[in-house]
Amino acid sequence: MVFHPLLICTYLNTFLLYKAPELLSRIKPQVQLQFLMVILLITGLMPVFSIVILKTFKFISNLELLKRSERIVPFIFILFYYCVASYLFMEKLEMEFLFNTIMISATLLIFILLLITIRFKISIHSAAIWSAVGYITAIIMIQGINVDWIYYLLVTLAGLTATSRLYLGYHTSKEVWGGTILGFSYSLLVLLIFT
């Protein structure tokens, strides 16, 4: 639960504010907490609320979304919230190009995962956390920021998260590897190509 996919965007932006604040220069120190709260609200809490509502009205059988067929409607809600967040930050707050690229590409990744989910089950946990690793890897390569031991900790946590999906029996190794490879390679390549 600590590395739930709906928290990864908040974690990624916390990392950027801490290790590369120049990439989010529009976010002044006195409003950083509010910025992170808005990210958490739009990309985390509102999707959770929507999923709870879907469960309450029996559109889904459980909050863990174990059945592939039950993931589609929640994914549509999550995609909607990411579209709203991307629009808000790009058009209304005029955030930096790199930040907008991350938000738009994360939204597109959710759309890709939605399309995959229509036919196949894939580990969203693996895709989400490894996409964060891919974004950070690209930022290290592009900006040359020094992240010291934090990067290795993140890679270790991503590996443990992926392993936990296997250990808990929620996914097969194929589903975990699919999420891992898609998340990491997609986010790495998007930033390397477009920034």
Side-chain angles (χ1 to χ4, degrees):
M1 289 309 249
V2 175
F3 297 106
H4 193 280
L6 295 176
L7 298 174
I8 299 300
C9 188
T10 304
Y11 292 155
L12 179 60
N13 282 289
T14 302
F15 173 85
L16 292 176
L17 283 172
Y18 174 65
K19 290 305 280 184
E22 65 278 3
L23 299 178
L24 295 171
S25 61
R26 290 195 182 273
I27 307 302
K28 303 302 179 209
Q30 60 270 24
V31 296
Q32 287 180 349
L33 183 59
Q34 291 91 332
F35 169 74
L36 292 174
M37 291 284 98
V38 169
I39 295 274
L40 178 62
L41 177 67
I42 298 174
T43 65
L45 298 179
M46 291 172 73
V48 166
F49 178 73
S50 297
I51 292 169
V52 169
I53 294 295
L54 290 171
K55 169 72 170 86
T56 302
F57 290 101
K58 305 207 183 315
F59 286 100
I60 57 174
S61 59
N62 64 53
L63 297 176
E64 294 175 331
L65 304 174
L66 298 176
K67 296 179 184 174
R68 181 187 51 81
S69 60
E70 291 185 353
R71 292 176 164 204
I72 294 169
V73 173
F75 263 69
I76 292 170
F77 277 98
I78 294 165
L79 181 61
F80 169 76
Y81 291 124
Y82 267 78
C83 286
V84 168
S86 296
Y87 173 78
L88 172 71
F89 290 117
M90 185 170 64
E91 294 296 326
K92 298 299 182 186
L93 298 179
E94 299 177 353
M95 293 293 290
E96 289 84 355
F97 180 77
L98 182 68
F99 174 85
N100 290 331
T101 303
I102 290 172
M103 287 303 296
I104 292 168
S105 66
T107 304
L108 291 174
L109 178 59
I110 293 167
F111 180 70
I112 291 167
L113 290 168
L114 170 62
L115 293 178
I116 291 170
T117 299
I118 291 171
R119 299 267 315 181
F120 307 101
K121 191 174 179 185
I122 190 168
S123 174
I124 306 306
H125 281 77
S126 295
I129 196 160
W130 281 102
S131 72
V133 173
Y135 287 130
I136 292 169
T137 302
I139 290 167
I140 291 168
M141 294 169 69
I142 295 165
Q143 301 289 326
I145 63 169
N146 182 13
V147 293
D148 303 320
W149 57 272
I150 295 174
Y151 181 77
Y152 302 107
L153 176 64
L154 178 61
V155 170
T156 301
L157 293 172
L160 289 173
T161 300
T163 302
S164 75
R165 307 313 290 164
L166 293 170
Y167 179 76
L168 294 171
Y170 291 150
H171 291 286
T172 65
S173 59
K174 181 179 173 182
E175 294 163 354
V176 169
W177 277 108
T180 299
I181 292 168
L182 174 63
F184 180 81
S185 58
Y186 170 83
S187 57
L188 177 72
L189 290 173
V190 162
L191 287 193
L192 290 180
I193 291 170
F194 292 105
T195 57

